[in-house]
Amino acid sequence: MFNFLKKKNNTPKLPYTTEVHCHVLPGIDDGSPDVEHSLALIHQMKEWGLERIIATPHVTEASFENTPQTIGSAYSRLCQETNLDELGIKLCYSAEYRMDDNFLGILQREEIIPMPGNHILIENSFLQPFWNIKSLVFDLQIKGLSPILAHPERYAYYYDDKKIYKELHEQGCEFQVNLLSLAGYYNKRAKEVAEWLISKQMVDYLGSDLHNSSHVLHINKYLSGKEYPKHMRNIHIKNNHL
């Protein structure tokens, strides 16, 4: 399972040292199931040149209704059973918040776990967009939060009318694109839209969205390929500003 750790990794480094989107906290979503897996994924992230990891477990109605308590407990368990200091990795946590009724309740109760600088990672359902996303972005900003929309390139319902991207970005909602999208891991259209967002200078952050060893292998292949330097040549990202 962890064969990628047994080989000397000569993969090129990422052009930033802070990871803003990953699922490496053990046992609380569809990412790492236990501490062993978490440590393997963190080892790989270190090989990519990362020095700081902001873990972002799912907070999603009905499937992963995580709370500050469940997320904090998973973080503590990982920190207690591993020595991250020896890896030279600083680990902290926030969450990836699905915009749904559960999230609206969290917002009302003021139970948000923000990223540094009061940033907050939000996502749409893949089936349909949040019914009033521009209003929600405004409400978040009024509360002093800076929204970052996770993987906007993966929302197929936006593809045929891309003006929503411009509207949201001009409103101050920043965008985080997945490395896996640029690698072509999901599908051709997600990759094309990720490249289009780069061309329009609307990509503010890159993230691995790392869940498992399969993601590691695909990202390593991408980082070693010809498209990676071409993509990075035209992008200006803010990961290290968080």
Side-chain angles (χ1 to χ4, degrees), residues 185-198:
Y185 174 79
Y186 305 110
N187 55 62
K188 181 180 179 181
R189 288 300 304 278
K191 178 180 179 180
E192 289 174 348
V193 174
E195 292 173 333
W196 179 82
L197 288 168
I198 289 175

Side-chain angles (χ1 to χ4, degrees), residues 130-150:
F130 185 73
W131 67 278
N132 198 2
I133 186 172
K134 288 189 282 188
S135 178
L136 179 57
V137 165
F138 178 76
D139 290 343
L140 292 172
Q141 292 168 332
I142 289 295
K143 290 179 178 292
L145 296 166
S146 299
I148 301 171
L149 183 61

